[in-house]
Amino acid sequence: MGKGGEDKGGKGGKHSKGTYDGGKSGKGGYDNGKSQSSKGKGGKKGYDAAPAPQQNFTTEPGKGICLNPADRDASFVFLGRPFVRGRRDTSHTKWSGCRADKAIASGRGAFAVKNETGGNMRIGWSLGDATLELGMDDRSFGYGGTAMKSHAGKYSKFGQTYGQDDVVVALIDLDRHAISYIKNGHAIPGDAFSIPRQLWGLPFYPHVLTKEASVTLYFGGPGAAMEVPQLPAGFSWMADLPLVASDRTCDHTAVHVEDAGAIVAVDTSQLEQAAHRDQFEDWKVKVSAYANHFQPSLAWEYQAEKDSVAHRMKRGLRQLESTGFGCCGLKVDANGQQLALTRPQGIPRLSEISIGRTVLVTEESAMPNMDDPSTTISGEVQNISERCILVSTTYDRLPEGRTYRLDLGPNMSTYERIDRVLDSLQRCDKPSQKQK
């Protein structure tokens, strides 16, 4: 374990694949950073000569989803039934992980975790054949309480620290191939991860990894044991989606569980990570309150900008083009995850367009809908010329159509920069006590 860093589970060693309590271990097949794209020639419907893997999975209603007794470390203990609460066995000192018994293979899903006691934990998504040590191989993605994200055993700073009584929501967007998070109702700015192309089309399981923390999970439905936020448009709780059942199963009635009240108190003052030791110190509480004070205003600004764009896009195409907020009659040539938008008479002047600006691509006769990727996809401008706009995107399919319109999307860059500054402030270390 690295000192003072993220909850770096163990030393990256292999964990068991969930054959505990009689579980039948199956072989369900299934980077932090930008999605990789190949260089093959693209068509308007698919982005590659070698398309992302497409597999058909049998789905069933997500109702009844829970943690999987047959897909956990032997040291992961359940607290009562159903299997939505747990902790590490006190006789063990290493990290302990558990996956859910159902996975999402398409669309946009979410689940939430509450840290009941304080201490280290990590939340995220993994494939069925990933190690149970979340974030330590290239088939899992995790965000830990010391404000570090991890994938393939590599760590980087992300978001804010979290600890006792905090609720973190993990969101996965399999249309846009991205993973993001919400802490205590506040969306952490930007994607935590872009899912690499070789993992597209494969089912992802909710996954929790804990060291000291006792955790409660929420997959959806009535009677949430914690305060959960309204999800972003287009997202659903896992229990409300068609899901893929794990092939690791066991007799749930035979699984030993601890009493629901068998929570083990955590002495945070003795924890290695300063983020957990300092959570309730006066200076940390004040810093967190200062950062949190601005978050509602930023959330309002985010939504106001999005609403403004939605209202603007209802104007006629000619008016949008004359005012420099969009253009139409575009042909799209797709190569990997890059879109070249052209038209014979050239590209008109677009106000506020620049490298990195978010733009929206929609079939020309359709009304743009930022929350429906079958209608509108987004991307970032990579290059602009009189004849062509080059856009990169994480989507793997264009909306159906022959010609397209392009609209300037929400300009969130300023707000996101402020949000990231507040995140950096919140996760700061204790001020030095040295006298000048």
Side-chain angles (χ1 to χ4, degrees):
M1 173 179 285
K3 293 185 178 179
E6 145 68 351
D7 31 351
K8 297 185 178 179
K11 296 182 180 178
K14 297 287 185 181
H15 277 219
S16 61
K17 292 292 186 69
T19 55
Y20 186 54
D21 281 318
K24 298 175 183 177
S25 180
K27 299 220 180 218
Y30 301 94
D31 123 39
N32 174 12
K34 299 292 183 180
S35 296
Q36 298 177 3
S37 60
S38 61
K39 301 289 185 179
K41 292 183 179 179
K44 74 172 185 177
K45 301 270 179 83
Y47 282 0
D48 258 17
Q54 294 295 325
Q55 302 185 38
N56 293 320
F57 297 93
T58 301
T59 61
E60 58 185 51
K63 185 178 180 181
I65 180 176
C66 63
L67 291 172
N68 190 352
D71 199 3
R72 58 170 169 160
D73 281 312
S75 58
F76 190 91
V77 175
F78 291 110
L79 300 175
R81 302 176 190 271
F83 303 132
V84 293
R85 298 178 67 229
R87 59 171 170 80
R88 182 193 63 184
D89 190 312
T90 54
S91 65
H92 291 257
T93 58
K94 295 183 179 180
W95 289 77
S96 185
C98 186
R99 262 186 288 268
D101 63 353
K102 295 179 182 178
I104 180 173
S106 63
R108 304 170 180 177
F111 73 102
V113 178
K114 180 179 180 179
N115 184 333
E116 295 191 44
T117 59
N120 279 330
M121 60 167 286
R122 197 180 299 162
I123 174 178
W125 302 86
S126 67
L127 301 185
D129 59 353
T131 174
L132 286 170
E133 195 171 16
L134 181 65
M136 294 305 292
D137 66 7
D138 62 0
R139 304 175 83 73
S140 66
F141 307 82
Y143 163 46
T146 56
M148 299 287 281
K149 61 181 181 178
S150 54
H151 169 62
K154 298 178 180 178
Y155 296 82
S156 57
K157 292 180 180 179
F158 175 77
Q160 297 190 3
T161 61
Y162 62 90
Q164 185 175 2
D165 295 329
D166 289 328
V167 176
V168 178
V169 178
L171 306 103
I172 190 165
D173 185 340
L174 295 180
D175 297 315
R176 199 167 58 83
H177 310 293
I179 293 172
S180 57
Y181 292 89
I182 297 172
K183 176 199 167 184
N184 294 339
H186 175 69
I188 298 174
D191 296 328
F193 306 98
S194 292
I195 300 172
R197 189 175 184 80
Q198 64 267 25
L199 303 184
W200 292 5
L202 301 176
F204 279 84
Y205 292 83
H207 192 143
V208 64
L209 181 72
T210 181
K211 193 173 185 185
E212 299 90 6
S214 295
V215 297
T216 297
L217 284 81
Y218 174 74
F219 296 106
M226 64 194 76
E227 184 175 351
V228 293
Q230 180 177 346
L231 295 177
F235 283 86
S236 299
W237 295 108
M238 291 288 284
D240 300 324
L241 295 170
L243 301 176
V244 179
S246 172
D247 54 6
R248 295 189 177 94
T249 62
C250 67
D251 180 2
H252 283 200
T253 63
V255 177
H256 172 74
V257 299
E258 297 284 339
D259 183 84
I263 294 177
V264 177
V266 175
D267 183 358
T268 56
S269 67
Q270 300 302 310
L271 296 179
E272 182 178 1
Q273 283 78 12
H276 298 299
R277 292 197 308 271
D278 297 342
Q279 181 183 2
F280 297 111
E281 287 200 13
D282 183 62
W283 73 270
K284 186 67 172 184
V285 171
K286 289 179 179 178
V287 168
S288 296
Y290 180 82
N292 294 341
H293 171 77
F294 294 95
Q295 289 177 343
S297 297
L298 284 170
W300 184 87
E301 293 287 356
Y302 280 136
Q303 189 59 46
E305 174 68 8
K306 187 175 179 180
D307 292 344
S308 175
V309 170
H311 178 75
R312 186 176 68 214
M313 291 188 299
K314 294 179 181 179
R315 303 175 189 170
L317 288 173
R318 290 186 181 276
Q319 183 181 4
L320 280 173
E321 191 160 311
S322 66
T323 54
F325 287 106
C327 59
C328 56
L330 296 165
K331 295 289 186 181
V332 177
D333 181 26
N335 182 6
Q337 300 316 114
Q338 288 193 330
L339 309 179
L341 294 88
T342 60
R343 70 178 187 179
Q345 66 268 44
I347 303 295
R349 183 192 70 83
L350 295 175
S351 63
E352 300 181 19
I353 196 166
S354 59
I355 304 300
R357 177 65 193 268
T358 297
V359 293
L360 308 172
V361 179
T362 309
E363 195 277 324
E364 189 171 49
S365 64
M367 177 59 67
N369 183 347
M370 289 180 279
D371 298 321
D372 181 5
S374 67
T375 302
T376 301
I377 63 173
S378 61
E380 292 186 352
V381 175
Q382 299 296 301
N383 198 9
I384 314 162
S385 70
E386 295 179 355
R387 293 288 181 181
C388 176
I389 300 176
L390 192 64
V391 174
S392 67
T393 182
T394 57
Y395 291 92
D396 60 347
R397 292 186 67 83
L398 278 170
E400 295 283 345
R402 295 177 61 85
T403 58
Y404 295 83
R405 60 183 284 176
L406 178 142
D407 294 90
L408 295 181
N411 187 1
M412 304 295 196
S413 58
T414 299
Y415 310 126
E416 288 181 350
R417 282 197 296 270
I418 296 173
D419 223 340
R420 288 190 174 97
V421 167
L422 293 174
D423 284 352
S424 297
L425 174 66
Q426 189 274 345
R427 63 176 181 247
C428 68
D429 293 328
K430 187 174 184 178
S432 172
Q433 299 297 315
K434 293 181 179 179
Q435 298 293 324
K436 292 184 178 180

